[in-house]
Amino acid sequence: MLFTQIEFFIFFGIVLASLLITSSHRIRKGLLLLASYYFYAYWDWRFLSLILISTLVDYLVALGLARTSRPSRRKLLLLTSLTCNLGILGFFKYFNFFVQSMETILGSFGFHCGTLHIVLPIGISFYTFQTLSYTIDVYRSRLDPCRNVLDFALFVAFFPQLVAGPIVRASEFLPQLRSNARPSWYGTFLGFRQFTIGLFKKVFIADHIAVFVDYVFENAGAFNGASTWFAVLAYGLQIYCDFSGYSDMAIGAARIMGYNLPTNFRSPYLATSMTDFWHRWHISLSTWLRDYLYIPLGGNRKGRVRTYVNIFITMVLGGLWHGASWTFVLWGALHGVTLVVEKWLRQRFRSMTHSATVWCLPGILGWFVTMLIVFTAWVFFRAASFRQAFLMLRQMYGFSGGIAWYYPFVLFTLLLVGAAHVFLAMNILSLRRLAYNRLVTPVVLISMWWLILVFPAEGFNPFVYFQF
Amino acid sequence: MSTCLQTPKKLQPPGSQRSLSDSVQETAAPRRPWILQTGTQHAKGDLAVVIRDIVIRWVLGGVIAFLLVTLISPCFLTSLRVYEWSAELDDYVLMDGYVHRKRDEGWATTHYGPYGFNSMAGMGDSSASTVMIWGDSYVEAHHVSDEQKTAYQVNKALSEQGLSHFRAITIGRACWSVSDYYFKIPQYEKLLNPVCHFIVVAEYGLKDLCPDGETFLSEPTLQFVCRSLVNPHKIKVITGLYKWGLSDMLLAPWKAVRTVMADGRNMRFTVGPYRKVDETTADSGCSVLFAWNEPNSIIESWSYALDMLKTSTSKPIVLVLVPEVPHLERGVTCCVDPQSEWRGRLAELCMAKQVGCIDMTETLVNDYRTTGKFSRGFHNGQPDSGHLNARGNWLLSRQICAYLNEHKDSLRKTDHAVHAN
């Protein structure tokens, strides 16, 4: 079930009504859990078993960790959780990828291993990371294990964030489940506002842009340099609106029900450095990678070279998380390399001048360089193959001839969103202006709904991050 | 009750430096029943005031939003068609004076005159010999302006070539096919007395000449079925609103209702995999060939269609085949039509039936090779496919003019015979 389908609104209405009329906190959570399972099963009920397995394993592992203090036993329990979760993720998401990648090597030795017809369960990357963060926190004694199986199951399967994030930490969410959260009038307004903005970004902007972007990428190399750049910029906007829109809808839906989910995006295209970009883009993933991959690898505590290696590995694996394809790996590697270079530049210039600012490019230049890197990297993220990516890059940087195509809606939207970002940077535009007690708020929000209904994108457009 | 957990002091939630929903500044609301929790504090007695305030604000806001979007949307939405009944043609035609806006593919305005004819092409000189150009949305050509439509360009070219004793009139409507032409040719002949009919076949897969199960049946036998594409009740409402200048106000709500109904029709609540409707595609990934089981039956269908067309008129009929070339295919411009063999067979059949046939493949491909421009496509559609753009209409008009030039003597004889009778 997608947030943009009419079934979801009916489903959500029923869920919300049930929560409102039920006074028992326990029953409310039970209803929410059943609703979450139904939400997931709506896509494919068979894969509900994977969530249940993951839930059960991590619940028991955490309880086991609480019962023992022997390091070897604790490690074994953690290993069990890691094996189970990463094993499921690895099999469903990466089996065919590794088989195909190894085919040439294995083939030279006479081994031929065929691929399997594996359906990728939606949201597996998200809820796997979510449950792993819980287990690891319990292992590190940073968190007490959750003894209420209902609460834990709901933490894993909570439907607003189940299929495409944000990746929620147990330390953030479990206290809310304990605290008898209920819908409130003001929370409903905040949630509705955020949901509406997210829906508008996804349906009105991202889905319309997709029509243009998909065609250009499909015919990479046929369009001239300007049109190709136009398409890449459009893709950057599409993926931002698609993903942040979904996150907004998830956060908004949760807010309506009385739960707070973490912010996942903070105007990433205002970033003035790659480090800044990753503080603003998919925040829940970047912090997860920092806390559960980068820091365990050693972080910045093992010397300069090791720090760079750790950054690079983290970003490569972050790229691989997005998809089982070498283009995603290269995308991650590009980000890794640029982060390493940035860190090196900061350290070098700081050591020379003892100034924290001299290594920083002036704001606008830093922003430009960052966006150039980010949007160039998006080509690999979007392209179906290296060939397609290189064709796009050749047109972008070679400024070759070709078909000129400037989709008017995309042009208009890019200009509008660009202006909005400028106003955001200048603090002229802010969500605070859509306050509860202002007339402009219902005008803007209802206009968004009306525009979505009057100008729908044709066809079925799942969220881009659905595939992760 | 032992529930979840106590958050250890050393573990700070990762987002503690930022608010959990940091795009929002939330004022701390007092612990009240949810219905009373608002952004501002009110005494109990002000509940009615609060609710009234909220309701008024949101209702007023909703009305303003509705009006705003409804008022600007006509600039970006294709207008609703306004029809009137024509006793001479025994059919609904687009209203005299109606101005149609096309916005979803191309961006153009079409003006209509009497009998639903495009007013720019107009009736022209009624003493001239009329040439009728039939087709579907390709000939209706709402995607291009009046001056770029085929009829206007044909008449202009004819005038430049000294053939102004001919005038071209286009009769096209979206979704029309061969059966529609069969039923309508006699009606329009009474009005216009043409000297010949051109039938433009530009839809993919030569679909407009093939059985469609609706107007051109193949079971139990091949037959044409007369139909009307318009709903008289709907027309009455739209025409009434149009006359009051309110049809544009209907656009946005109408579109919204259609969106909801379309989504509603696809609704399901059963758990299970989502299945996307698959479309049949040709192996090469090129244009879709109309799906049929036995290719020989298509030849039979075409033969039937041509025979029926010939019975509907005594005037010469010319098919104009406009294939979907050139087009983009995985980054490469493809100038080969995968249906070239079928077009060849259709051309042979036309020759056997003494029906004229113009195959525009070479024209379209050569034009692309010379100018680099596609004959189909628009910036707000796809650049290489879809309906004929201005260039495509121009090329079509040139082909028709060339045919008229080549056959002007025989057409004149036909015309004289008609006048003599």
Side-chain angles (χ1 to χ4, degrees), chain A residues 288-309:
Chain A
W288 194 99
L289 290 171
R290 180 197 65 202
D291 294 340
Y292 301 106
L293 190 55
Y294 176 67
I295 290 174
L297 282 173
N300 58 2
R301 299 186 307 268
K302 307 228 172 174
R304 197 180 290 183
V305 172
R306 182 64 185 269
T307 302
Y308 300 155
V309 170

Side-chain angles (χ1 to χ4, degrees), chain B residues 203-258:
Chain B
E203 189 70 73
Y204 61 79
L206 304 170
K207 165 167 118 40
D208 290 340
L209 291 176
C210 302
D212 58 7
E214 199 181 309
T215 61
F216 186 175
L217 305 178
S218 57
E219 302 286 337
T221 55
L222 290 166
Q223 56 180 305
F224 286 161
V225 175
C226 188
R227 65 158 171 191
S228 175
L229 283 169
V230 297
N231 181 330
H233 303 293
K234 210 192 289 181
I235 286 171
K236 214 171 169 181
V237 172
I238 295 172
T239 309
L241 287 168
Y242 180 79
K243 284 179 176 161
W244 284 92
L246 296 174
S247 65
D248 283 349
M249 292 288 286
L250 187 63
L251 268 176
W254 174 237
K255 226 23 224 306
V257 166
R258 284 185 67 172

Side-chain angles (χ1 to χ4, degrees), chain A residues 339-463:
Chain A
L339 282 168
V340 164
V341 167
E342 202 172 86
K343 199 162 183 73
W344 177 78
L345 283 171
R346 281 184 187 162
Q347 285 168 347
R348 182 186 161 98
F349 283 98
R350 183 161 51 188
S351 66
M352 280 177 68
T353 64
H354 303 287
S355 166
T357 57
V358 88
W359 45 261
C360 288
L361 290 170
I364 191 81
L365 192 57
W367 171 83
F368 180 77
V369 170
T370 304
M371 290 303 111
L372 192 63
I373 296 167
V374 165
F375 280 89
T376 302
W378 278 141
V379 173
F380 291 98
F381 194 88
R382 172 60 181 77
S385 64
F386 281 120
R387 182 179 175 273
Q388 196 178 78
F390 288 131
L391 280 172
M392 292 291 288
L393 291 171
R394 186 192 70 186
Q395 296 301 103
M396 285 163 70
Y397 289 100
F399 290 100
S400 312
I403 301 164
W405 184 26
Y406 308 105
Y407 201 80
F409 175 82
V410 174
L411 187 62
F412 169 74
T413 311
L414 278 173
L415 291 172
L416 198 66
V417 172
H421 273 74
V422 169
F423 293 143
L424 265 171
M426 293 164 66
N427 285 323
I428 294 172
L429 197 64
S430 164
L431 211 53
R432 292 186 191 95
R433 293 191 186 275
L434 291 180
Y436 175 76
N437 53 358
R438 300 186 72 191
L439 179 60
V440 71
T441 303
V443 172
V444 169
L445 297 181
I446 296 175
S447 294
M448 286 180 174
W449 279 93
W450 201 224
L451 283 169
I452 288 164
L453 289 174
V454 173
F455 297 100
E458 301 298 321
F460 174 68
N461 290 299
F463 296 99

Side-chain angles (χ1 to χ4, degrees), chain A residues 5-7 10 20 26 38 41-44 141-147 151 169 171-172 174-175 178 183-186 189-190 192-193 215 218-220 222-223 255 260-263 266 283 403-408 431-432 436-439 442-443 445-447 450-451 453-456 460, chain B residues 1 3-8 10-11 13-15 18-27 34-35 37-39 54 57-58 60-62 64-66 68-70 73 76-77 252-253 255-256 259-260 263 266-274 328-331 374 378-384:
Chain A
Q5 287 177 286
I6 199 167
E7 297 94 304
I10 299 171
L20 289 171
R26 194 187 184 91
Y38 171 78
Y42 183 87
W43 168 73
D44 195 331
S141 302
R142 292 175 146 222
L143 205 62
D144 286 338
C146 179
R147 297 184 187 279
D151 282 3
R169 303 290 182 93
S171 57
E172 291 173 356
L174 288 171
R178 188 172 61 99
S184 68
W185 195 246
Y186 192 55
F189 161 71
L190 295 175
F192 174 74
R193 182 178 69 179
Y215 202 75
E218 210 174 282
N219 294 286
F223 296 90
R255 194 65 186 264
N260 288 320
L261 298 182
T263 300
R266 225 170 13 97
I283 298 167
I403 301 164
W405 184 26
Y406 308 105
Y407 201 80
L431 211 53
R432 292 186 191 95
Y436 175 76
N437 53 358
R438 300 186 72 191
L439 179 60
V443 172
L445 297 181
I446 296 175
S447 294
W450 201 224
L451 283 169
L453 289 174
V454 173
F455 297 100
F460 174 68
Chain B
M1 177 174 67
T3 54
C4 280
L5 54 91
Q6 308 280 342
T7 305
K10 56 185 173 180
L11 179 69
R18 64 181 195 282
S19 60
L20 286 176
S21 298
D22 67 358
S23 58
V24 168
Q25 289 243 341
E26 185 179 15
T27 55
W34 75 276
I35 192 102
Q37 289 179 13
T38 65
I54 292 167
R57 197 182 316 123
W58 280 83
L60 186 59
I64 295 173
F66 175 84
L68 264 175
V69 174
T70 302
S73 59
F76 303 99
L77 288 174
K255 226 23 224 306
T259 304
V260 171
D263 280 353
N266 294 327
M267 254 195 331
R268 67 176 182 102
F269 290 98
T270 53
V271 296
Y274 183 92
L328 278 178
E329 202 175 306
R330 296 187 195 100
F374 291 104
F378 301 86
H379 274 288
N380 61 347
Q382 283 178 350
D384 66 309

